[in-house]
Amino acid sequence: MRDRSDRPGALPLPDGSTRFRIWAPFAREAAVEIVHPSARKVPMHAGTGGFFETRVADLGPGADYRYLLDGTKERPDPWSRFQPEGVHGPSRVVDPDAFSWTDSAWKGLPAPRLVIYELHV
C-alpha cells in the first residue's frame, strides 16, 4: 500500500471512513456532498495552502460524491478515479489498493522501440 495521505481526492481508510481533500485556494468554504448511498452535506475544514479536508465515517468505495464550493458551485472531484456519469456528474470513491496487479514482471520497452512525440501549440 502506497502512502497517499497528502494526495487530494477521496481516500478510503481502513476504519471504513473516507478522507476527502481538495485544493480550492479561492473558495471561502467547501463541503463534500454525498449523493449516494445517503444524501448529505459534510463541511470541510480549511487547511494550509488552499486545501480543504474532512473525513466521513461509514462511507467507503462505491459512494458517489461531489464538492460544493462557497455554497453554490457543485463540482466533481478533479482527482477522481471514476466518473460513472461523465465528467460533469458526481465522482465515485474507489479503493486504489483493491486492484490486484498482474504485470510485475513487465520490464518496459527498450529505448530503440520507444516513440516520443512532442507537440507545441
Side-chain angles (χ1 to χ4, degrees):
M1 182 169 158
R2 293 178 40 200
D3 180 19
R4 294 180 174 89
S5 58
D6 288 340
R7 181 190 183 280
L11 179 64
L13 300 171
D15 66 359
S17 67
T18 296
R19 193 269 345 247
F20 294 92
R21 188 168 195 251
I22 187 171
W23 185 65
F26 300 110
R28 293 180 312 281
E29 61 183 65
V32 61
E33 182 179 6
I34 309 304
V35 178
H36 174 80
S38 59
R40 59 191 159 150
K41 293 178 187 169
V42 180
M44 300 180 81
H45 310 286
T48 59
F51 284 95
F52 289 86
E53 187 171 320
T54 194
R55 260 181 212 216
V56 179
D58 299 322
L59 188 78
D64 291 344
Y65 68 98
R66 65 179 144 239
Y67 293 116
L68 187 62
L69 305 177
D70 294 330
T72 59
K73 300 175 192 162
E74 293 180 349
R75 299 291 187 261
D77 187 345
W79 280 83
S80 171
R81 292 181 173 91
F82 187 29
Q83 292 294 123
E85 296 179 27
V87 297
H88 300 292
S91 305
R92 183 163 292 165
V93 177
V94 173
D95 182 358
D97 295 317
F99 185 79
S100 180
W101 293 94
T102 59
D103 61 353
S104 61
W106 190 66
K107 302 293 184 214
L109 296 173
R113 293 199 51 215
L114 295 177
V115 175
I116 299 174
Y117 183 80
E118 184 174 342
L119 174 67
H120 296 266
V121 179

